[in-house]
Amino acid sequence: MRQRRNFIQYIRKKPSLKRKYKMLLYYSCVIGLAFLCACFTGCGKFPVKNQTEKNSDELYNQGVFAMDTYMSLSAYGSKGEEAVKSAIEEIERLDGIWSVGKKDSEVAKINRDGKGKISEDTISVVKKALELSESTEHAFSLTVYPLMELWGFTSGEYQVPTTKEIHEKLSLVDDTKVVLEKESGKLTLGSGQQMDLGGIAKGFTSARIIEMWKKMGISSGMVSLGGNVQVLGSKPNGNDWKIGVQKPGDKEGNMLGVLSVKDCAVITSGGYERYFKEAGKTYHHILDTRTGAPSESGLTSVTIVSKDGTLADGLSTSLFVMGREKAIAYWKEHREEFETILVEEDGTIYVTEGLQDSFETEENIKVIQGG
């Protein structure tokens, strides 16, 4: 008992460790709740290891803590265990080259030196990030790291910066200054810039795992990377996967609704995920690159459904920053690539027409038509 008290006291003195510890406890609770849902309703997001369903193959499930979050991987079939363990190895490898907190990672070296040679995987992620930055008019930014650090979202040592401090860091957030030479693999940042792949890395990782599993002959599985969910095929019995969409800010874990999906990613971003309070005001981690402060777009949650996990991850943040009107306009231009659910501060829910029949909710919704 004394050792436990000493450990907790140590955690409290270390803000960055405290944040990770609280996050681990949070996801442990979520997994426990999802386990109960699986037992009683058959639609849990985290199936039990070796649990079987009627007319289904054996299921292998395992969790891992990486990329600052808890992850759960589930694969059906005789190669399920091999598939999951290979996926965990890949997650740890990618985390090792992309983590801003690991001094030997590719990203940390680029941030330190301002330039350097990067691997093929990092080239792919950076290329996608730059394309998203341009497409969303910089609502998504690869170079937002100095601002995230200023607010304390990278360390857990939160603060509300002065207007002058924000202005100084905001001048560094400009993806047009990033030069990627795809042939040579050389990446160069603008003077004083630093990058962070956190806004897109988990989406790329889930997509990579799905591709790995397909090559291994896995036809049914689920990857949940800290709330970023991507599913392979349908469930072994032919039914769609049931993915719960969290109700923004609901501390009881109630769901806004449930999506029935197959072969796609379902990724949600919300201001309730990471935040701190000061002088009675709440400051969340989704920063608006136009102001350098937490986004005040009027949205509390954005869910993206897409075949492309990398795209879904980046767009969940981008549309949140854009706000409802610009997000809808963006969807209308790119509706062949994704569908979305937007939740406003007053509780109004907007659902694009492609999800109208697959999203079950007791709430009133407004359907966004593409015409």
Side-chain angles (χ1 to χ4, degrees):
M1 181 66 73
R2 180 177 298 175
Q3 288 179 334
R4 182 176 181 272
R5 283 200 300 268
N6 291 341
F7 171 72
I8 292 174
Q9 289 172 356
Y10 174 72
I11 289 292
R12 286 173 176 167
K13 293 178 182 179
K14 301 286 185 178
S16 61
L17 291 178
K18 181 179 178 182
R19 179 170 62 86
K20 291 182 180 180
Y21 182 63
K22 288 174 71 177
M23 187 179 297
L24 180 58
L25 288 177
Y26 170 76
Y27 281 113
S28 296
C29 292
V30 170
I31 291 165
L33 178 62
F35 171 76
L36 291 175
C37 284
C39 290
F40 292 106
T41 70
C43 63
K45 285 169 60 178
F46 298 92
V48 184
K49 178 179 176 181
N50 294 332
Q51 177 183 338
T52 57
E53 299 181 7
K54 187 177 181 180
N55 299 322
S56 69
D57 293 325
E58 184 179 5
L59 167 65
Y60 186 84
N61 174 268
Q62 187 172 335
V64 62
F65 192 84
M67 297 183 178
D68 278 340
T69 192
Y70 187 86
M71 305 179 173
S72 178
L73 301 99
S74 308
Y76 284 92
S78 59
K79 292 185 178 180
E81 181 173 0
E82 179 187 354
V84 169
K85 292 187 179 300
S86 296
I88 290 175
E89 290 178 2
E90 182 67 359
I91 288 170
E92 292 174 341
R93 184 185 73 82
L94 293 175
D95 191 23
I97 63 176
W98 292 339
S99 173
V100 292
K102 296 179 180 179
K103 63 180 182 180
D104 293 327
S105 75
E106 289 183 13
V107 171
K109 289 178 180 178
I110 293 292
N111 285 345
R112 183 180 65 242
D113 302 333
K115 60 183 178 180
K117 191 169 184 178
I118 55 177
S119 64
E120 186 175 337
D121 286 327
T122 307
I123 290 173
S124 296
V125 176
V126 170
K127 180 176 179 291
K128 189 69 173 182
L130 293 175
E131 289 172 353
L132 263 175
S133 177
E134 182 178 3
S135 171
T136 62
E137 297 181 353
H138 310 296
F140 181 91
S141 177
L142 179 70
T143 55
V144 74
Y145 185 77
L147 274 177
M148 295 290 287
E149 188 175 43
L150 178 65
W151 283 87
F153 288 113
T154 60
S155 64
E157 299 178 1
Y158 305 118
Q159 66 163 347
V160 178
T162 65
T163 301
K164 181 181 179 182
E165 289 173 328
I166 291 175
H167 181 73
E168 290 174 351
K169 296 299 182 182
L170 196 55
S171 65
L172 301 175
V173 183
D174 184 354
D175 289 3
T176 64
K177 295 180 180 178
V178 178
V179 179
L180 173 63
E181 300 175 25
K182 293 185 285 292
E183 296 296 326
S184 64
K186 183 179 179 181
L187 179 66
T188 304
L189 302 180
S191 178
Q193 287 188 319
Q194 291 183 307
M195 69 174 188
D196 185 1
L197 299 175
I200 199 171
K202 289 194 288 292
F204 179 93
T205 302
S206 65
R208 166 62 56 81
I209 291 169
I210 295 298
E211 288 305 313
M212 287 173 55
W213 285 359
K214 286 180 180 178
K215 292 178 181 178
M216 295 178 69
I218 302 295
S219 59
S220 181
M222 174 185 287
V223 180
S224 180
L225 309 184
N228 287 34
V229 178
Q230 187 157 354
V231 297
L232 171 59
S234 56
K235 298 181 77 174
N237 60 9
N239 292 337
D240 288 347
W241 295 94
K242 302 289 187 179
I243 308 298
V245 178
Q246 186 176 343
K247 198 169 188 177
D250 190 304
K251 296 180 180 179
E252 302 300 321
N254 293 316
M255 294 291 112
L256 184 72
V258 176
L259 278 165
S260 298
V261 297
K262 59 184 176 182
D263 262 332
C264 69
V266 179
I267 297 178
T268 301
S269 286
Y272 56 86
E273 296 171 319
R274 289 166 55 196
Y275 62 90
F276 69 95
K277 293 184 178 181
E278 185 170 310
K281 185 173 180 179
T282 300
Y283 300 90
H284 61 74
H285 76 290
I286 304 178
L287 303 183
D288 188 330
T289 55
R290 296 167 299 183
T291 65
S295 173
E296 296 182 351
S297 68
L299 294 175
T300 57
S301 173
V302 172
T303 297
I304 303 294
V305 180
S306 175
K307 298 287 186 182
D308 185 340
T310 312
L311 178 70
D313 200 4
L315 283 181
S316 65
T317 300
S318 305
L319 268 60
F320 187 99
V321 172
M322 288 180 186
R324 174 175 59 86
E325 290 185 4
K326 289 186 177 180
I328 291 175
Y330 186 90
W331 171 76
K332 288 183 177 181
E333 291 181 13
H334 303 270
R335 59 181 178 271
E336 299 300 320
E337 300 176 58
F338 73 98
E339 301 288 347
T340 186
I341 300 171
L342 310 173
V343 184
E344 292 195 302
E345 291 176 350
D346 64 2
T348 305
I349 305 169
Y350 293 86
V351 179
T352 52
E353 60 184 355
L355 297 179
Q356 184 176 2
D357 296 330
S358 58
F359 183 56
E360 301 173 36
T361 180
E362 295 181 355
E363 308 288 339
N364 292 324
I365 65 171
K366 293 186 177 181
V367 179
I368 306 169
Q369 303 292 340

